[in-house]
Amino acid sequence: MSYAADVKKELTGLRVHDGNAKAELSALMRMNGVSTLGIDQTVSVKTENAAIARRIYTLLKKNYTQIEVEVTVAEHNYMSQHKSYGVLLKNKVSDVLTDLGVDPFGLHPDIPDRILNQVDKRRSFLRGAFLAAGSVNSPEKANYHLEIFTTHEELAETLRLMMAEFGLPAKIIDRSGGYVIYIKRAEKIVDFLSTIGATQTMLRFEDIRMMRDMRNSVNRMTNAELANIQKTADAANKQVQQILFIANEIGDLDLLPKKLRDIAKARLEHPDDSLAELGDRLEISKSGANHRMRKLKALEDMINAGVTYDLNKL
């Protein structure tokens, strides 16, 4: 089961109060696409998630006791296990849809104030919208991403503003004949899951994200350390080659001034040491060791350029 499916499984098991339940039900029916059959006789809500179909059925029966409702199942073909589910409302269709503020023809996309006039109702509406048309990447994947899809631009903007109220900076893009409201930042995805009541899967997301970020941090530190080791080794090897060249040209390192002779011999004896470690051996600072190495480099440059030099003045 995918992470998104786990989130929806947790959400479909939540208990909600009547007012909040209607807000969630309004979003579920609106986002799943309500279609009327006949003239105000029946209404069908389609979904590919059995738990969501049961959720719609349960919320309808709990909040509208006089209705007749059933769940239908359709298999796409005999070779596939892929199924779709319909929640069929057989009576009092107009009363229920009006109460939920849902227009089956999509001519009136506005959501009545009574559906969203409390913070908890808006949380429930967001939960219903996510259940109906939302998805979220696993925190183990490379990119964090949560989105909700709708074919109605006005509804997309309403959801964006509703999410902004909870400190969730969502954006909207056009995609495949509809609109996607999405969040990319991991900490805001965590906040969204918490807002709609997916506490357990939110905590799992956070745990996985923290472990992943920790691994990435350790990898970056390791890579940086390896890079520094390689850089130190390359610099040390270059210094060894410079000193060997100077020794060959002047005949004997003992001809160098004492400070340069000491650092040159220390480098040849300890080719893997950093400058700081060489400085410790000679009881000088890292900057002091670096200064002496620069003098040896300058001597190498003069020899290569054929410039007259005086070892005693180095």
Side-chain angles (χ1 to χ4, degrees), residues 266-294:
R267 170 51 77 204
L268 293 179
E269 292 171 3
H270 306 282
D272 297 327
D273 277 6
S274 65
L275 277 178
E277 290 169 332
L278 279 183
D280 289 342
R281 292 182 187 279
L282 299 174
E283 298 183 350
I284 59 175
S285 65
K286 177 183 176 180
S287 61
N290 188 44
H291 178 71
R292 296 183 188 187
M293 281 297 180
R294 286 203 302 271

Side-chain angles (χ1 to χ4, degrees), residues 151-215:
T151 55
H152 299 287
E153 185 175 10
E154 297 89 346
L155 181 55
E157 180 62 16
T158 297
L159 289 170
R160 187 191 69 79
L161 292 173
M162 206 178 302
M163 292 163 75
E165 177 185 342
F166 293 102
L168 304 167
K171 296 182 179 180
I172 300 175
I173 58 171
D174 295 351
R175 184 199 295 169
S176 303
Y179 302 88
V180 175
I181 311 97
Y182 69 93
I183 301 173
K184 288 286 190 182
R185 290 166 54 188
E187 64 273 17
K188 293 304 178 181
I189 292 176
V190 167
D191 290 344
F192 178 87
L193 296 176
S194 177
T195 296
I196 63 175
T199 305
Q200 295 304 313
T201 42
M202 176 273 289
L203 292 173
R204 197 172 111 212
F205 186 103
E206 189 74 326
D207 287 344
I208 295 173
R209 181 178 75 91
M210 290 177 64
M211 289 299 297
R212 178 184 164 194
D213 290 350
M214 187 179 299
R215 287 196 302 268

